């Protein structure tokens, strides 16, 4: 883990420098408070004064060798040799951030905010622009701030986002799962962000997102839908307000946020869990109505995302409907909840552009930081802060990890199956590893008999536009021509023929029982979710125990009841049945071959 992130995570001691990492912003102040800075009052007072004058205190945490953040004191007229070195360094930082890097100009490697005169800053930004041009990247100045040393001449530091879409990619891609109680305003918020038009408070904005007639009639999301919000290289929003088709949005964007809109109603909880476990979201956005606070499924959704270790940020919606005191009460309720020992989060309220920039950076570095936005989809209040946040939010894994996944054999998880007129059978899902090209021959399975069947990928689409090559981590739909749809089911995998996939009826998992009304014992049946696999399994044995109570751990042997599945040791597992819930990971598979299954 990046040492900067380590320092900021709730479990470790922070250096006083780290505590001042974002002074002047409410985030800086809240982190300072949470991490127990002595002299907190002094910091707060100074921070308040600084906010007014946009002046900041003199330290950032020291520069980390790894990660995508680089400090540069000055970049004025570098020699050709130094310029080449700077360019190489920029390439490395961009690689660390999978195409995005943040440069802090006017800052020493030890984090000291020295600041530059206007002329030096201008010259440094010019050099930075030249460096970016050399590597084919764009730069956006996120913020310029004055440092206050009491000198007569003002000194400034600048924070700059450098973005380069990797050569083999169309755009940088992040997936955000959208969670929250029914009627919290999830679909409306997505409608407003992706269509660019405000809501009327009676559900106008969400209409474009609904897929089924009953959804339009009841106003409730029942299935999973995907919505896209693009940003161009200058950090401007690209959505349906300026583009007619998804293809146009993809073409003009260098960064794409794909929202996975999940259902809020308890009735659709299975679909919501499926969305979280199978679509591998980078982040989860939990929407909470300012008027209702934590209600209905909110607690459960927060718990699910935390159990699956998906970093969360919170959007308090509908602030136009409530008095300021009600909004503050909801925010306080969320803060209390997030700080509970089970959650162990550091809530940070975002109330300025400065906060949004800092929140995006800190959030990606430390999963315990939980930004809270307060917005309205009707008045548009603070939606700009949310957009700033999305524009800067970096991916969690770096290019190296991504590269490693791409080197592995192809494995595509089948999450959706459709029949499209004139195209034939189409499957939707995520490429877990490897690369998949048009015309590629793969095998799909396991069938009920444990077989894998041959198929050819006829064409690939991402975000409704054609794509020739799919890379690990990307979601897409693949057309399979005349392949018989009835042979497919959700939860199957399409893998390269060289792979020998392990399939099993029986597996073991180390689990924690999160909640169970009575006792959990042999013979109990639960719905098991592992990645895109969702099937009822029966508890065959509890190792070394007769029964399990809430909060207890054990290694449990499960047997699927309908058909064998493709699983991997180490995969995260979640199970539920009524109020019973548990999480864990797969520790052992009793793999079977198709011939054994036919006996
Ligand atoms: N006044 C006001 N109304 C809002 C706001 N956001 C959403 N609404 C209204 O709240 C209602 C519910 O919004 P939805 O977006 O359908 O809620 P949801 O969370 O997607 O609900 P499910 O799809 O059932 O999970 C609609 O009538 C919206 O017009 C807001 O910021 N202000």
């Amino acid at each position: 883990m990046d040492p900067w992130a380590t320092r900021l995570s709730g479990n470790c001691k922070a250096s006083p420098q780290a505590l001042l990492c974002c002074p002047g912003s409410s985030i800086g102040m809240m982190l300072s408070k949470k991490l127990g800075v002595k002299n907190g009052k002094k910091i707060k007072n100074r921070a308040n004064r600084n906010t007014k004058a946009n002046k900041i205190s003199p330290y950032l945490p020291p520069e980390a060798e790894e990660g995508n953040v680089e400090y540069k004191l000055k970049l004025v007229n570098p020699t050709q040799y130094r310029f080449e070195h700077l360019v190489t360094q920029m390439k490395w930082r961009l690689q660390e951030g999978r195409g995005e890097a943040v440069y802090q100009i006017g800052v020493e490697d030890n984090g000291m905010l020295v600041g530059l005169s206007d002329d030096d800053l201008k010259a440094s930004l010019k050099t930075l622009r030249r460096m970016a041009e050399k590597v084919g990247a764009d730069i956006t100045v996120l913020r310029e701030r004055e440092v206050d040393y009491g000198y007569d001449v003002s000194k400034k530091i600048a924070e700059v986002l450098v973005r380069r879409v990797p050569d083999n990619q169309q755009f940088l891609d992040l997936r955000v799962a959208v969670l929250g109680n029914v009627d919290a305003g999830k679909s409306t918020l997505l409608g407003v962000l992706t269509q660019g038009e405000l809501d009327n408070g009676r559900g106008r904005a969400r209409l474009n997102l609904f897929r089924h007639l009953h959804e339009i009639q009841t106003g409730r999301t029942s299935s999973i839908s995907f919505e896209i919000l693009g940003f161009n290289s200058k950090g401007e929003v690209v959505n349906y307000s300026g583009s007619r088709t998804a293809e146009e949005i993809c073409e003009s964007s260098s960064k794409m946020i794909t929202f996975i809109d999940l259902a809020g109603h308890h009735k659709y909880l299975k679909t919501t869990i499926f969305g979280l476990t199978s679509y591998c979201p980078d982040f989860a956005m939990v929407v909470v109505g300012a008027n209702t606070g934590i209600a209905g499924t909110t607690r459960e959704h927060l718990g699910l995302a935390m159990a699956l270790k998906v970093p969360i940020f919170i959007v308090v919606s509908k602030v136009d409907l409530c008095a300021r005191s009600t909004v503050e009460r909801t925010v306080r309720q969320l803060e209390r909840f997030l700080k509970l020992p089970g959650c162990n989060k550091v809530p940070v309220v975002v109330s300025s552009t400065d906060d949004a920039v800092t929140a995006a950076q800190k959030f990606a570095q430390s999963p315990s930081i939980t930004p809270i936005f307060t917005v309205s989809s009707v008045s548009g209040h603070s939606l700009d802060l949310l957009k700033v946040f999305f524009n800067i939010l970096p991916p969690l894994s770096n290019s190296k990890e991504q590269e490693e996944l791409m080197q592995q054999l192809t494995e595509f998880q089948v999450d959706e199956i459709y029949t499209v007129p004139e195209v034939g059978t189409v499957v939707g899902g995520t490429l877990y590893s490897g690369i998949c090209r048009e015309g590629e021959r793969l095998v799909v399975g396991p069938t009920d008999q444990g077989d894998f069947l041959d198929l050819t990928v006829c064409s690939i689409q991402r975000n409704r536009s054609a794509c020739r090559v799919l890379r690990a981590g990307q979601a897409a739909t693949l057309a399979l021509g005349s392949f018989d749809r009835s042979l497919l089911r959700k939860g199957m995998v399409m893998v390269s023929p060289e792979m020998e996939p392990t399939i099993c009826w029986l597996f073991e998992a180390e689990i924690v029982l999160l909640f169970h009304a009575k006792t959990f014992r042999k013979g109990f049946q639960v719905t098991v979710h592992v990645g895109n696999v969702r099937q009822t399994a029966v508890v065959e044995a509890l190792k070394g125990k007769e029964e399990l109570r809430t909060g207890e751990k054990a290694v449990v042997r499960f047997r699927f009841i309908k058909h064998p599945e493709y699983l991997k040791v180490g995969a995260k597992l979640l199970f539920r049945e009524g109020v019973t819930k548990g999480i864990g990971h797969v520790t052992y598979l009793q793999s079977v071959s198709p011939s054994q299954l036919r006996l």
Side-chain angles (χ1 to χ4, degrees), residues 123-402:
S124 299
L125 289 176
K126 199 171 149 201
T127 309
L128 196 66
R129 197 161 283 118
R130 271 177 55 220
M131 288 156 54
E133 265 167 27
K134 184 93 197 238
V135 299
D138 287 294
I139 68 167
T140 320
V141 178
L142 297 174
R143 51 186 170 182
E144 271 183 27
R145 293 174 295 170
E146 275 181 29
V147 279
D148 184 7
Y149 289 115
Y151 300 140
D152 291 343
V153 206
S154 84
K155 297 257 185 184
K156 282 186 185 156
I157 60 158
E159 191 164 84
V160 187
L161 176 70
V162 186
R163 181 179 291 159
R164 185 189 65 175
V165 179
D167 300 336
N168 55 10
Q169 247 172 273
Q170 206 181 345
F171 41 72
L172 306 173
D173 199 9
L174 283 187
R175 270 195 295 264
V176 177
V178 187
L179 296 167
N181 193 27
V182 61
D183 278 353
K186 303 181 289 299
S187 304
T188 303
L189 178 64
L190 293 193
V192 171
L193 289 172
T194 61
Q195 311 290 321
E197 244 182 72
L198 291 175
D199 186 47
N200 60 354
R202 292 185 303 282
R204 183 177 63 193
R206 68 186 179 195
L207 277 181
N208 292 319
L209 312 188
F210 286 159
R211 281 181 173 184
H212 305 294
L213 182 63
H214 75 262
E215 292 184 327
I216 295 171
Q217 285 162 346
T218 61
R220 254 175 214 173
T221 315
S222 66
S223 57
I224 298 172
S225 70
F226 296 91
E227 300 306 324
I228 51 171
L229 173 68
F231 290 92
N232 64 19
S233 52
K234 295 193 194 93
E236 294 158 347
V237 165
V238 185
N239 61 14
Y240 284 103
S241 64
S243 317
R244 274 170 303 132
T245 59
E247 201 162 359
E248 270 182 43
I249 297 179
C250 294
E251 270 166 19
S252 325
S253 303
S254 55
K255 179 169 189 171
M256 187 72 73
I257 311 284
T258 305
F259 294 103
I260 311 165
D261 187 12
L262 301 171
H265 199 275
H266 198 270
K267 195 160 104 187
Y268 305 115
L269 193 62
K270 266 190 194 173
T271 314
T272 304
I273 297 178
F274 181 78
L276 267 179
T277 54
S278 77
Y279 291 104
C280 326
D282 297 282
F283 305 102
M285 170 165 88
V286 182
V287 182
V288 179
N291 50 345
T292 56
I294 299 180
T297 49
T298 314
R299 212 176 279 265
E300 190 152 19
H301 283 188
L302 281 164
L304 280 171
M306 287 182 210
L308 291 166
K309 300 208 162 40
V310 183
I312 304 162
F313 61 93
I314 293 182
V315 176
V316 174
S317 67
K318 306 192 186 184
V319 299
D320 60 293
L321 281 184
C322 319
R324 201 173 158 169
S325 57
T326 313
V327 178
E328 281 169 5
R329 197 168 55 227
T330 298
V331 170
R332 275 201 305 274
Q333 184 195 27
L334 281 161
E335 286 177 337
R336 272 198 308 275
F337 178 82
L338 293 166
K339 286 179 189 167
L340 287 175
C343 304
N344 228 349
K345 299 279 183 195
V346 185
V348 290
V349 180
V350 178
S351 48
S352 67
T353 311
D354 221 31
D355 288 351
V357 172
T358 314
Q361 290 172 5
K362 298 287 166 279
F363 180 52
Q365 289 160 354
S366 166
S368 56
I369 305 277
T370 309
I372 302 178
F373 295 83
T374 47
V375 310
S376 162
S377 297
V378 169
S379 70
H381 175 86
S382 284
L383 288 178
D384 51 334
L385 303 185
L386 203 52
K387 289 179 199 160
V388 167
F389 179 74
F390 284 131
N391 179 37
I392 305 166
L393 197 59
L396 286 182
S397 61
N398 64 22
S399 307
K400 211 165 129 221
E401 288 158 357
Q402 181 73 4

Side-chain angles (χ1 to χ4, degrees), residues 73-78 83 86 105-106 116-131 139 144 158:
L73 183 57
K74 223 191 222 192
L75 296 169
V76 180
N77 290 331
F83 182 76
L86 288 168
I105 309 291
L116 295 177
S117 66
D118 277 348
D119 285 350
D120 279 355
L121 188 62
K122 225 161 130 191
S124 299
L125 289 176
K126 199 171 149 201
T127 309
L128 196 66
R129 197 161 283 118
R130 271 177 55 220
M131 288 156 54
I139 68 167
E144 271 183 27

